[in-house]
Amino acid sequence: MNMIRLGAVTKREVQRFLRIPVQTMISPWISATLYILVFGVIIGERIDFLESIDYIDFVFPGILMMQLIFGAYGQSAFSLFFHRWTKTITEMLASPLSYTEIVLGYIIGATTRAIVVSAGVYAIAVLFTDATFANVPLFFFYILVVAILFALIGLLIGLWAEKMEQLNMLQTFIITPLIYVGGVFNSIDMLPEKIHWLVKLNPIFYMVDGIRYSMIGYSESNLLYGAIGLGAACLILFVIVIHLFKIGWKLRS
Amino acid sequence: MYALEIKNLTKQYKDKTAVDNLSLTVKRGEFFGLLGQNGAGKSTTIHCTTGVAKITEGNITVMGHDVQAEYQQARDAVGLSPQDFNVDIFAKIEHSLDYVGGYFGMPKEKRKERINELFKLLGLEEFRGKAFQELSGGYKRRYMLARALMHNPDVLILDEPSAGIDVEQRLALWEYLRTLHGQGKTIILTSHYLEEVEKLCDRVAVIHKGKLIADMTKAEFTQNGNTLEETYLKLTKEAKV
């Protein structure tokens, strides 16, 4: 691993999202502010939820997670697709960059954007909630692992997609619905018992629940299974993405 | 050791053989012209050499390094200026060159120094803060050349470097290429301007439908008072028959 080469890919990725701040940072901050205001403050004040937890404190970790996911996915998927579409990817393919350096550069860039967006969302939340931390190391574990996971999913989609709209398709038809039914806005206990198993099949549920536990100490899932599952998913996807870069799938003719 | 050695290269796309059992050598320090009609296989050969395309059969070495087994060393030895503008058009050209230098493992100070040197040499100084899309056609070509030269490679591959630029800029480009050649760089040039090839190259090869149909010195090409263009047209006509 050559740190100069890895640094160059990372720098390019970071400068790319800093170049378009309205799309990459300001837009998710506005979106998060609206979620916090509408679901947390306006509606939340009228919801008699859990005895010891305010509704806004319950939903905020999920809102944070949602922007983290969109930030990481959006960066890696759109960036890689853009590089394929404009053939800028050949700059990297014709250089001595190793496939691991290329993939890691994309991942670090996407994770950086996701963290910058999340930090902004957290700063906004401080105005409306306590935004506490129950377990700081666990909080950073979830932030990092989820960002890496969606950066990898973004790379897979960025490789596969032939049209720009295919990048949005996954976000619109799969990620967003899974987030909405993944316990961001409701406790699993608010749902009929016969569909609890369905919620537990949703990977987003474990991410939201994990980060919620790290912030307010409230959990509805087995955190250990969730954390192991997320870590394993990251590893498997990393191996797959490296392999696809190595064989040049949709990259080299 | 050859600068470039291609042995029995075949490149097959789904239903088309783009390069068919091609063997070719380019000596170190040579100014080599690669000619052929559109779709003859020139760019595909270049893509296989630089790692942009996969090799179906055969092997290629650059400065003695196999482009597949020792791809990092082989790519380190080559600078490519492709036919298409495969550049992030929104990024400042100074930043884009900095990334490319980084891809080749150049430390920060060395990158900065090299960018200043290239911008000065190629007259890009006043555009360093501009995005690629803001440059005119001629300056875009200059940037492509700067990018290929960023890591100071031994072998320079130029695929249609003067396409779309005016006469004055073309003459300036030729002058600069001659200087680079004088400094010992191996230059491989593809061009549809046969005058350009005739003026610059020591040796010329012609590809037709993926096969090598000629590989001669410029003197052999222009013997009997023929121009390079006349010999080239004769060869491709014979190949068609």
Side-chain angles (χ1 to χ4, degrees):
Chain A
M1 180 78 63
N2 180 308
M3 297 315 284
I4 294 176
R5 294 200 297 247
L6 174 62
V9 182
T10 307
K11 187 177 175 185
R12 186 205 59 214
E13 286 303 289
V14 171
Q15 287 188 335
R16 193 193 87 89
F17 81 75
L18 292 177
R19 211 164 64 205
I20 41 172
V22 175
Q23 182 193 326
T24 57
M25 292 177 287
I26 296 170
S27 166
W29 289 337
I30 291 173
S31 169
T33 307
L34 291 172
Y35 273 115
I36 293 167
L37 278 175
V38 175
F39 289 96
V41 180
I42 301 169
I43 297 175
E45 281 176 358
R46 288 160 179 79
I47 294 178
D48 188 16
F49 190 60
L50 298 165
E51 272 181 24
S52 56
I53 305 167
D54 287 339
Y55 184 64
I56 189 164
D57 291 329
F58 180 85
V59 294
F60 174 63
I63 293 168
L64 184 78
M65 181 62 75
M66 190 157 65
Q67 298 307 332
L68 180 87
I69 288 172
F70 289 151
Y73 172 80
Q75 174 69 19
S76 61
F78 281 85
S79 183
L80 178 55
F81 180 80
F82 175 77
H83 290 141
R84 283 178 55 226
W85 187 57
T86 57
K87 295 186 181 168
T88 321
I89 193 84
T90 56
E91 268 186 356
M92 286 191 281
L93 297 177
S95 79
L97 279 165
S98 73
Y99 304 108
T100 311
E101 286 159 357
I102 297 175
V103 172
L104 280 179
Y106 275 113
I107 291 174
I108 298 170
T111 306
T112 306
R113 171 170 155 187
I115 289 173
V116 169
V117 168
S118 304
V121 172
Y122 184 84
I124 293 163
V126 169
L127 302 172
F128 303 98
T129 78
D130 293 337
T132 54
F133 291 117
N135 187 327
V136 176
L138 199 63
F139 174 80
F140 284 108
F141 167 81
Y142 276 101
I143 289 282
L144 271 179
V145 171
V146 173
I148 291 169
L149 181 66
F150 279 88
L152 285 161
I153 293 172
L155 286 179
L156 269 184
I157 301 302
L159 275 179
W160 164 79
E162 293 298 332
K163 297 175 191 169
M164 186 78 84
E165 68 168 0
Q166 288 174 320
L167 302 176
N168 291 320
M169 267 166 58
L170 185 95
Q171 193 164 323
T172 308
F173 296 113
I174 298 176
I175 299 177
T176 306
L178 284 179
I179 288 174
Y180 276 83
V181 298
V184 173
F185 300 106
N186 60 279
S187 160
I188 193 169
D189 292 335
M190 293 163 85
L191 302 170
E193 202 164 333
K194 57 186 169 188
I195 64 161
H196 281 193
W197 66 273
L198 199 61
V199 175
K200 286 177 180 173
L201 285 178
N202 179 357
I204 307 276
F205 170 69
Y206 297 93
M207 299 173 200
V208 173
D209 196 58
I211 202 161
R212 182 177 288 137
Y213 178 79
S214 75
M215 293 186 82
I216 61 172
Y218 176 82
S219 165
E220 298 179 323
S221 72
N222 186 318
L223 290 173
L224 185 64
Y225 288 169
I228 291 171
L230 287 174
C234 278
L235 269 178
I236 293 165
L237 278 178
F238 183 72
V239 172
I240 292 171
V241 170
I242 290 281
H243 175 71
L244 293 176
F245 268 78
K246 216 169 184 173
I247 62 167
W249 185 64
K250 297 215 176 185
L251 289 173
R252 292 190 289 138
S253 54
Chain B
M1 182 177 64
Y2 291 109
L4 173 69
E5 188 171 14
I6 300 174
K7 278 186 192 166
N8 308 110
L9 174 70
T10 296
K11 175 62 188 174
Q12 183 87 36
Y13 290 109
K14 277 176 193 167
D15 51 352
K16 193 193 165 201
T17 305
V19 179
D20 191 1
N21 200 27
L22 180 86
S23 293
L24 194 68
T25 54
V26 178
K27 290 178 203 150
R28 290 184 76 166
E30 203 167 27
F31 207 134
F32 185 84
L34 192 58
L35 299 181
Q37 295 168 322
N38 287 333
K42 306 182 298 290
S43 293
T44 304
T45 304
I46 289 171
H47 290 162
C48 289
T49 304
T50 53
V52 177
K54 297 177 209 169
I55 293 170
T56 310
E57 267 177 53
N59 57 60
I60 303 174
T61 59
V62 178
M63 301 302 283
H65 300 290
D66 187 283
V67 299
Q68 293 179 106
E70 301 168 287
Y71 75 93
Q72 288 183 312
Q73 292 92 327
R75 288 175 200 171
D76 216 14
V78 181
L80 169 67
S81 170
Q83 195 174 341
D84 303 320
F85 293 135
N86 57 346
V87 180
D88 180 346
I89 58 169
F90 304 112
K92 290 177 183 171
I93 58 169
E94 185 180 14
H95 289 172
S96 294
L97 272 194
D98 185 54
Y99 306 146
V100 172
Y103 300 162
F104 283 87
M106 294 168 69
K108 192 179 175 183
E109 277 310 308
K110 209 173 162 191
R111 295 201 301 266
K112 201 174 162 188
E113 211 176 281
R114 184 67 174 152
I115 289 170
N116 289 338
E117 190 184 333
L118 287 169
F119 277 176
K120 206 172 166 187
L121 268 172
L122 294 165
L124 286 164
E125 189 61 49
E126 60 181 299
F127 304 106
R128 62 189 310 148
K130 300 259 183 207
F132 183 79
Q133 63 173 349
E134 295 174 81
L135 305 184
S136 68
Y139 285 104
K140 281 179 178 162
R141 280 285 163 210
R142 288 186 196 201
Y143 168 78
M144 299 303 282
L145 186 61
R147 189 178 75 173
L149 288 166
M150 181 64 194
H151 61 292
N152 201 11
D154 293 320
V155 181
L156 193 58
I157 301 181
L158 309 172
D159 197 357
E160 304 286 350
S162 56
I165 64 172
D166 62 36
V167 180
E168 285 83 4
Q169 286 180 330
R170 191 177 305 150
L171 292 176
L173 174 73
W174 290 358
E175 201 48 49
Y176 186 58
L177 293 180
R178 280 193 191 103
T179 307
L180 288 172
H181 184 226
Q183 289 166 356
K185 295 242 182 278
T186 306
I187 303 178
I188 298 165
L189 171 78
T190 82
S191 179
H192 285 299
Y193 297 105
L194 297 187
E195 184 201 354
E196 180 168 85
V197 176
E198 190 166 357
K199 282 200 188 309
L200 296 171
C201 298
D202 310 320
R203 200 154 63 87
V204 179
V206 182
I207 301 178
H208 183 77
K209 291 188 176 171
K211 287 180 185 290
L212 186 74
I213 58 166
D215 182 359
M216 296 185 269
T217 62
K218 190 166 67 184
E220 286 169 323
F221 255 96
T222 53
Q223 66 187 357
N224 305 326
N226 287 333
T227 62
L228 189 139
E229 185 172 322
E230 284 164 344
T231 312
Y232 168 76
L233 289 172
K234 191 177 159 213
L235 284 166
T236 49
K237 198 176 172 185
E238 282 170 6
K240 276 180 196 169
V241 174

